[in-house]
Amino acid sequence: MLVKLAWKSTLNRKASVALTLVTIAISVMLLLAVERVRQDAKSSFANTISGTDLIVGARTGDIQLLLSSVFRIGHANNAVQWQSYEYIKAQRGVAWSIPISLGDSHKGFAVLGTDDNYFKHYQYGKKQHLTFKAGRAFHNPQEVVLGATVAKQLGYKLGQKIVISHGMGNTSFHHHDDNPLVISGILAATGTPVDKTLHVPLSAIEKMHSTGHSKTSRQISRPQHTANHDDEHEHEHEHEHEHEHEHEHEHGSTNNSALLHNLNSTPGDLIGSTKQITAFLLGFESPLYTLQVRRNINLYKDEPLLAIMPGVTLRELWAMLDIVEKILLLITLAVVLISLLGMLTSLLATLNQRRRELAILRSVGARPWHIFTLLVSEAILITVLGCIFGVALFYALLIAAQSALQSQFGVVLSFSPLSAYELTLLSVIIGAGTLIGAIPAARAYFYSLADGMQIKT
C-alpha cells in the first residue's frame, strides 16, 4: 500500500519529479560514460602492442622510445646502426625481429619503413596478428601498405600511386616525387596507431633519401650561368607534377589492368643498403631470454642503446595519467551529488505544501513511521528511475560515440552489460538517494497531527 501510495504521490508532482529525474539521469550517464571510457581507454592503450618482448632504440628515455616507436609521437634523438641490429637479432634465443625506420610522412600520416617480418610477427590486442582488408603486403620498393584510417580518410584504393614527403607533420618541404609508390594493400582496422600509418620497405626509404641527396648535390654543382633557367624549368615541372597528383587523387585509383599488374609485381629486395634504423622489436623463444638480452643490449659497447619491455613501460606511462582519470571521476561524482542535492531541495520545498496531506494520513490511522517510509520510498523511487533512464542514455551515447572514438582516438568502447564495478556505482547512488530522502522524511516524522490540521488553506 505504501509503495502504491508513493507512486501516485510521485505522479501527482510530475513537473518537479521530471526535472529531478532528468538531472539524475544525465549525471548517471556521465558517470558511467567516464568510467567506461576510462576502462576501455586503458585496455586499448595497453593492447596497442602485444607479443613483443623488447623494443630497442638509441639510448633515451623509456617512455620517449615507446612513444616514438609505437605511437609515432615525437622523434628519436639518434638512430641505430644496421650492424648493431644484425648483431643483436643473431643472439641466442631471438625468435624474430622487426626493424623500424621513421621520419617521413604523407599528408600528416606517419610513414614506417620495415620488412616483411612486420606483417608476420607484429601483434596487438590479445596477441592478434595484422590482417589485410584488401590486397597484400609489399613485395618491392615501389609498393606501400596503408593503415585502415589512412585509406578511409584520404579515399585511397589499391593500385593508386602516392608520393611520400620528408619530415613529420602536415607541412613538408620536400616531396619524393621521383619515387611514387603503388598501394599494394590496405590493413584491417586495429584501433591502434597502425591504422594511421603507411608501411613501406626499408629499401624504399633508402632509395627515396639517396635520390633526394643526389638530386640536391647535382643542383649545387650546376654552372652559375644555367642556374636561373634550370630553376624556372624545375619550378614549372614541379607545378605540373603536383597537378598530375591532384588529378590522379580526384579520379581515384588506376584502371583495372594497371591494378592487376601492380598486384602481380615481382618480389624484390626489401632491405637494400640500409645503414640506420630508428628502432627494432624483438620476440624471444622463451621469456627467460628477455632479461638477459635486455641487460646485454643496455651494456652494448659499440653504440649506446636502450632496450625496454613494452608492457612495463605502458603501465608506467598510464600511471602518469592516473591523476587525470581521478580528476575526471571526481568531477563526475560531484555532478551526481549535485543532482541528488537537487532532489533533496525539491523534496524539502514540497514538504510544507504536503503537511495537510500528511496530517490527513495520520488522521486515518497512519503512524509516524508510515509517513517516514512513504517519503523515503518516494526518494528511492525517483533515484531508481533516474538510474534506469541514465543507463538507457549511457547505451545510446555508447552507440553514437563508438565509431568516432575508435577512428579519432583509437579507443574501442565495449558494448557490454554493466560491470560489477559499474553496478556498484549505481548501488552507491541509490544508497545516497535513500539517505538524502531520509532528511525530509525525518522532518515529516516529527510533524504533529495538530500542526498539520492547523494549516490554513
Side-chain angles (χ1 to χ4, degrees):
M1 181 62 69
L2 285 175
V3 174
K4 185 178 180 181
L5 189 60
W7 173 252
K8 289 186 176 182
S9 177
T10 302
L11 292 179
N12 192 45
R13 296 175 286 114
K14 295 184 181 65
S16 61
V17 170
L19 289 174
T20 305
L21 281 177
V22 169
T23 57
I24 294 177
I26 292 176
S27 63
V28 168
M29 177 197 70
L30 290 175
L31 178 63
L32 294 177
V34 168
E35 179 59 27
R36 183 64 61 92
V37 169
R38 185 181 71 85
Q39 291 291 343
D40 289 346
K42 185 176 182 179
S43 176
S44 299
F45 188 81
N47 293 334
T48 301
I49 182 171
S50 66
T52 297
D53 296 312
L54 289 180
I55 300 176
V56 184
R59 187 165 297 170
T60 181
D62 292 16
I63 293 178
Q64 183 179 353
L65 177 58
L66 179 74
L67 291 177
S68 61
S69 61
V70 176
F71 293 93
R72 327 286 190 247
I73 299 175
H75 304 277
N77 294 329
N78 296 301
V80 177
Q81 297 300 317
W82 184 258
Q83 293 85 349
S84 300
Y85 166 67
E86 291 281 356
Y87 174 79
I88 293 172
K89 79 171 187 177
Q91 296 299 302
R92 179 185 177 187
V94 176
W96 53 264
S97 62
I98 301 174
I100 291 175
S101 180
L102 297 165
D104 292 319
S105 64
H106 176 74
K107 297 186 177 180
F109 293 103
V111 173
L112 182 146
T114 185
D115 60 12
D116 54 353
N117 282 336
Y118 183 85
F119 305 105
K120 295 177 182 177
H121 301 294
Y122 188 90
Q123 298 177 29
Y124 67 97
K126 298 179 179 179
K127 294 190 176 181
Q128 298 170 261
H129 288 273
L130 299 175
T131 57
F132 282 85
K133 180 181 179 182
R136 53 159 176 78
F138 45 64
H139 281 173
N140 54 59
Q142 287 76 43
E143 296 179 343
V144 58
V145 173
L146 306 184
T149 302
V150 178
K152 182 179 179 180
Q153 290 191 8
L154 300 181
Y156 287 159
K157 307 293 182 182
L158 291 180
Q160 190 171 347
K161 290 185 177 181
I162 62 174
V163 173
I164 303 302
S165 303
H166 183 66
M168 303 296 288
N170 292 310
T171 303
S172 299
F173 297 99
H174 178 72
H175 304 283
H176 301 294
D177 295 329
D178 294 335
N179 295 280
L181 302 178
V182 178
I183 300 173
S184 67
I186 298 174
L187 293 170
T190 63
T192 70
V194 173
D195 297 342
K196 298 182 179 181
T197 305
L198 294 86
H199 307 84
V200 301
L202 287 171
S203 54
I205 297 288
E206 187 269 335
K207 182 179 179 182
M208 286 185 291
H209 289 178
S210 62
T211 303
H213 293 322
S214 61
K215 181 178 178 181
T216 303
S217 301
R218 290 196 301 271
Q219 290 174 346
I220 294 174
S221 62
R222 288 180 303 174
Q224 182 66 30
H225 68 276
T226 62
N228 294 336
H229 175 72
D230 290 346
D231 285 343
E232 292 177 359
H233 177 72
E234 289 190 5
H235 187 66
E236 293 176 359
H237 176 70
E238 287 177 0
H239 277 293
E240 292 175 359
H241 200 60
E242 290 175 2
H243 178 71
E244 289 175 1
H245 284 299
E246 291 175 359
H247 183 73
E248 287 181 5
H249 181 67
E250 290 175 359
H251 287 80
S253 60
T254 56
N255 55 44
N256 292 333
S257 61
L259 176 62
L260 182 62
H261 173 74
N262 290 329
L263 294 182
N264 291 333
S265 60
T266 304
D269 183 14
L270 301 180
I271 303 298
S273 57
T274 301
K275 295 180 175 60
Q276 293 181 332
I277 56 177
T278 304
F280 57 93
L281 314 181
L282 292 177
F284 296 96
E285 297 173 356
S286 170
L288 299 177
Y289 292 105
T290 303
L291 295 178
Q292 178 183 350
V293 175
R294 181 189 181 191
R295 180 178 179 276
N296 294 337
I297 292 173
N298 290 334
L299 296 176
Y300 189 64
K301 295 181 179 180
D302 290 356
E303 64 174 316
L305 298 178
L306 174 67
I308 63 172
M309 302 173 69
V312 175
T313 309
L314 280 169
R315 285 192 291 271
E316 291 177 358
L317 182 56
W318 187 260
M320 296 174 60
L321 305 175
D322 185 57
I323 184 65
V324 177
E325 60 174 313
K326 286 182 178 178
I327 290 174
L328 285 175
L329 187 60
L330 287 175
I331 292 174
T332 312
L333 290 174
V335 172
V336 174
L337 180 60
I338 291 171
S339 66
L340 292 177
L341 290 177
M343 180 181 71
L344 172 61
T345 303
S346 175
L347 292 175
L348 288 174
T350 58
L351 188 59
N352 275 336
Q353 301 173 7
R354 301 178 61 187
R355 289 177 67 177
R356 178 169 290 278
E357 171 192 342
L358 300 178
I360 294 173
L361 289 175
R362 291 287 302 277
S363 67
V364 296
R367 297 184 177 276
W369 68 267
H370 287 141
I371 303 299
F372 180 87
T373 306
L374 174 63
L375 293 185
V376 171
S377 300
E378 291 179 10
I380 295 174
L381 183 61
I382 294 173
T383 307
V384 170
L385 289 176
C387 289
I388 293 173
F389 291 148
V391 171
L393 289 175
F394 162 69
Y395 279 108
L397 180 65
L398 203 63
I399 295 172
Q402 198 170 26
S403 59
L405 282 174
Q406 182 173 0
S407 61
Q408 295 297 324
F409 304 103
V411 177
V412 182
L413 294 180
S414 57
F415 193 83
S416 58
L418 297 178
S419 65
Y421 180 69
E422 290 167 338
L423 290 174
T424 302
L425 289 176
L426 292 180
S427 301
V428 170
I429 293 174
I430 295 174
T434 304
L435 291 176
I436 287 178
I439 296 174
R443 291 189 62 180
Y445 179 88
F446 293 105
Y447 282 162
S448 65
L449 179 60
D451 182 48
M453 296 298 291
Q454 288 172 2
I455 293 180
K456 299 180 179 180
T457 57

